[in-house]
Amino acid sequence: MGAAQSNLSDPKFGYDLVVAVTQASINATMKQFLAGLTAPEVVSCYVYDQNNNLIPISYADLKARAKGADPFQVLAGADPNSNQDLINLTNANFAGGFKARLGLPDVAPGKLPPIMTLSRGTNAPVLFNLLCAEFQITGFEYGPRGRASWINQSQPTGAASPWYFSANVALNTSAVDVSNPPAQATSAVKDRINDLRQSVGANAFSVQQLFLALDTAILQSQPTIVGIPAGWAVWELISSVFLDAYMKQMRVNGTPVLGYSVTVNRPDRSKLQLGAISYETCTLLDGSSNPIANPTPAQQAAATFNYLGTTGTVPPTATLFPWNWVEEGEVASFSGVQSVRRDIFVNFFAGLLNQDIGRLCQQTKVSLSHSGDDYHIRYSSSDAPDPKTFQPVKVGARAPDGFTEVLSLTYDHKSHDDSEAADHLSSIHGDFNYMLAGSVALKDNVIRLIIHAAAWMKFNHHEAGINYDDLPGKNYYDKTLTVTFQISVTDTGELKVTKMSSMDDKSAGWDFHGKGIIGTFGFENNLRKGLTSVEANLASRLDDKFASYESEVTNEINSQKGWVFPGSSTFVFKNVAFSAYQDLVAQLTYAAP
């Protein structure tokens, strides 16, 4: 299986592009990102109102109300009955609070949990662990008979396990049922998630943007704090008191947990401009396209998070794929793949081919007349005013050579004229027909362009009831140009081609022989000269047009007008090829976040 089976043209999919990245690569890159993250410190404090309900209060207001007492500076174990700061905090109705800052905890690498663990589903189910570089909890714990003790504890370092938020989240959300909204998912949260799904700029596939989507989606769930042993006083404080109050506060306006945000100012150079994105997650499939039950850690590492992109403005409906985007043995080689639907790239490529194809479409003309015993013969050609262009074809099975045709072109023009002498004893007849046929086919990492041009000419005359074929009807120009473009991709997602070409010449030899009166009385030389000149000029012009067309198409592909994959600011690209169903597929690796 693998990405070589990509078939986004299947009607059950509604995607123009898929980006699939492995769980292993996401976790490695997110940890790298968090290690260098400079995130704001979030301080959340709570007091009791007159009905003993927890309400948030700003850090500054709390200290003002508590006569300057700072709860985060009072040492653990201080006596609430004798410590003046704690007495002031009690009088301010302080319940507790926490400080946190996103980032990597200062613990041994082996103690760090995976940031994302992927399940299989069209709602993109993810177990998300939100790690913190800083995590401090303070507050009062109340025991029997109103006795209180003071808690001030921070996340451990070194060989201990870190504290972190953990939640099962889903990144594909449906519209809120206003008549029965979920208790934990406000309209603001749903709107925020939907906005993120439609964020399709240069940063759409970055780990920063994915982290923001996860950080916002956690608001729809019931997160827990992991790492604090159950039964500790601090566990009770954060789990039963502050976490619920904090999450309710964040859900009101859809604010990401711990204040995370993304700023992007890089342009998107892609030729494919997306309008909306949905998500899904796929675990590894076996050879029968069934999910592997109880996957090993290596198999779980190959699970993929999939971005489903469309040029429309409505996020597409997610549908699970019957193939693996990355196989187990490929996880160490690259982060994932990007697949572009066949018609998207084929139409783009047709646009490049069609810019200059008109000059190869020739309009022919034959003009014959008599003046006494003189014959006036003119064969000519010019660029057609109504040229044809390459158009998509109904894609069928592969040809025996392994190529699959995706574009074709057919153009033809016929011209005929005749003229009869005034004495009705002789007449002349001429034909000049031209055809152009083109084909584009794909195979592996090769685009094959074939163009066949043929000019069929004939001249004959009648005299005394006898027909003479002075120029038998033949293809006096009959050449086929075959160009193979071997495609590659730069690190920054630009498609490049290396060209090879050949010309097959099946043109018939010039075969003009004046017969009858034409041959007897010397008219042959004039006719021979005129027709031969037309044939030579046509051959020269078409040869030049073939050569310039081949060169111009190659330059167009390799220029700034050529194809650029989306996500060039996030990924490093390599190894591009066409799938078995002609989707354009490239392997990608996360660039440094």
Side-chain angles (χ1 to χ4, degrees):
M1 293 194 299
Q5 296 302 309
S6 177
N7 184 15
L8 301 185
S9 297
D10 189 317
K12 67 183 177 183
F13 304 121
Y15 325 132
D16 296 320
L17 172 130
V18 171
V19 174
V21 284
T22 63
Q23 176 179 305
S25 67
I26 294 172
N27 281 319
T29 308
M30 276 197 175
K31 287 177 180 178
Q32 183 182 0
F33 160 64
L34 289 176
L37 179 66
T38 302
E41 181 183 66
V42 174
V43 182
S44 189
C45 299
Y46 300 90
V47 295
Y48 293 108
D49 65 12
Q50 52 187 324
N51 296 317
N52 286 329
N53 296 316
L54 278 180
I55 58 174
I57 185 173
S58 73
Y59 186 28
D61 287 348
L62 172 67
K63 289 189 291 184
R65 185 184 294 186
K67 299 180 180 179
D70 186 340
F72 298 100
Q73 298 300 319
V74 181
L75 297 178
D79 187 349
N81 296 312
S82 60
N83 184 285
Q84 188 59 51
D85 284 335
L86 294 185
I87 293 171
N88 292 340
L89 287 169
T90 300
N91 292 334
N93 295 323
F94 179 66
F98 65 88
K99 281 184 177 181
R101 181 170 57 84
L102 291 176
L104 279 190
D106 185 16
V107 298
K111 292 294 184 178
L112 291 174
I115 296 174
M116 290 179 65
T117 301
L118 306 180
S119 299
R120 180 175 177 82
T122 56
N123 62 339
V126 176
L127 174 60
F128 176 49
N129 294 324
L130 185 62
L131 306 182
C132 296
E134 171 190 333
F135 207 150
Q136 180 183 4
I137 301 169
T138 68
F140 293 104
E141 181 191 27
Y142 293 97
R145 299 180 181 179
R147 296 186 62 182
S149 58
W150 177 248
I151 296 171
N152 186 343
Q153 194 163 346
S154 296
Q155 174 176 255
T157 60
S161 296
W163 301 350
Y164 54 91
F165 292 88
S166 183
N168 287 292
V169 303
L171 293 187
N172 267 350
T173 61
S174 57
V176 176
D177 182 355
V178 294
S179 63
N180 186 28
Q184 73 275 18
T186 65
S187 296
V189 173
K190 291 282 189 175
D191 291 343
R192 176 64 174 154
I193 293 290
N194 193 56
D195 288 344
L196 288 167
R197 290 172 64 198
Q198 298 188 59
S199 298
V200 293
N203 212 47
F205 309 116
S206 70
V207 292
Q208 294 94 327
Q209 187 77 2
L210 177 57
F211 193 86
L212 177 58
L214 290 164
D215 194 18
T216 303
I218 203 172
L219 299 174
Q220 298 182 96
S221 64
Q222 294 291 350
T224 59
I225 297 293
V226 179
I228 305 174
W232 281 20
V234 71
W235 163 259
E236 295 296 329
L237 194 64
I238 188 67
S239 297
S240 63
V241 181
F242 304 134
L243 181 59
D244 185 58
Y246 178 68
M247 296 305 294
K248 286 180 179 178
Q249 180 185 355
M250 295 298 100
R251 288 175 187 136
V252 170
N253 56 8
T255 303
V257 175
L258 302 183
Y260 176 72
S261 64
V262 173
T263 300
V264 184
N265 54 15
R266 291 171 294 183
D268 183 11
R269 302 184 301 116
S270 171
K271 300 302 179 182
L272 175 57
Q273 296 297 313
L274 297 176
I277 293 175
S278 292
Y279 312 109
E280 71 177 12
T281 49
C282 291
T283 53
L284 199 66
L285 306 177
D286 61 21
S288 300
S289 296
N290 296 315
I292 295 176
N294 302 314
T296 65
Q299 291 169 335
Q300 180 62 42
T304 56
F305 184 87
N306 304 331
Y307 300 84
L308 315 173
T310 176
T311 55
T313 57
V314 177
T317 301
T319 301
L320 295 174
F321 297 102
W323 62 82
N324 293 321
W325 286 107
V326 179
E327 297 291 0
E328 180 181 351
E330 298 174 322
V331 172
S333 300
F334 49 91
S335 299
V337 298
Q338 181 173 139
S339 180
V340 178
R341 183 168 60 86
R342 177 182 64 217
D343 287 352
I344 293 293
F345 179 76
V346 167
N347 288 335
F348 172 83
F349 192 71
L352 295 182
L353 295 178
N354 291 336
Q355 290 182 42
D356 300 300
I357 195 64
R359 291 178 295 168
L360 288 175
C361 297
Q362 293 293 295
Q363 177 176 270
T364 57
K365 185 177 181 180
V366 179
S367 179
L368 307 178
S369 63
H370 279 79
S371 178
D373 291 329
D374 292 331
Y375 296 95
H376 298 284
I377 302 171
R378 178 175 174 77
Y379 281 57
S380 62
S381 67
S382 60
D383 292 352
D386 56 345
K388 299 298 184 180
T389 57
F390 281 97
Q391 298 295 322
V393 300
K394 183 178 181 181
V395 176
R398 292 183 180 183
D401 61 5
F403 279 91
T404 303
E405 185 181 34
V406 293
L407 292 170
S408 70
L409 174 150
T410 302
Y411 171 83
D412 68 273
H413 190 275
K414 294 180 172 63
S415 180
H416 171 84
D417 198 15
D418 49 45
S419 180
E420 188 176 25
D423 58 10
H424 304 294
L425 295 178
S426 65
S427 60
I428 55 177
H429 309 268
D431 293 274
F432 190 5
N433 303 333
Y434 178 83
M435 64 79 63
L436 182 73
S439 171
V440 175
L442 310 176
K443 173 188 176 183
D444 299 332
N445 67 334
V446 175
I447 302 172
R448 186 184 65 191
L449 169 65
I450 298 176
I451 301 178
H452 175 211
W456 190 87
M457 301 174 70
K458 179 181 179 181
F459 178 82
N460 64 297
H461 76 279
H462 292 266
E463 57 181 71
I466 301 174
N467 177 69
Y468 296 97
D469 285 333
D470 307 285
L471 181 67
K474 297 179 183 179
N475 284 332
Y476 291 102
Y477 186 95
D478 190 348
K479 295 186 179 181
T480 301
L481 172 68
T482 300
V483 185
T484 56
F485 299 104
Q486 184 172 6
I487 62 174
S488 60
V489 65
T490 67
D491 288 352
T492 53
E494 299 164 344
L495 195 70
K496 300 295 182 182
V497 297
T498 303
K499 171 182 68 71
M500 294 183 61
S501 63
S502 63
M503 183 75 80
D504 182 23
D505 187 354
K506 294 183 179 179
S507 303
W510 190 243
D511 192 18
F512 182 85
H513 300 284
K515 300 173 182 178
I517 295 176
I518 291 177
T520 302
F521 292 97
F523 297 129
E524 176 184 356
N525 289 336
N526 292 334
L527 292 175
R528 181 193 300 273
K529 181 179 179 181
L531 290 174
T532 303
S533 175
V534 169
E535 186 272 343
N537 289 339
L538 176 67
S540 176
R541 288 175 58 238
L542 287 177
D543 284 349
D544 289 344
K545 289 176 183 291
F546 266 130
S548 63
Y549 180 72
E550 174 187 344
S551 176
E552 288 164 358
V553 167
T554 304
N555 291 337
E556 290 285 341
I557 299 172
N558 287 332
S559 73
Q560 292 183 349
K561 298 179 182 178
W563 179 266
V564 179
F565 282 95
S568 59
S569 61
T570 299
F571 302 114
V572 175
F573 292 79
K574 65 177 182 179
N575 297 340
V576 65
F578 295 102
S579 74
Y581 300 93
Q582 299 79 50
D583 291 342
L584 183 63
V585 180
Q587 296 173 356
L588 43 84
T589 301
Y590 277 113

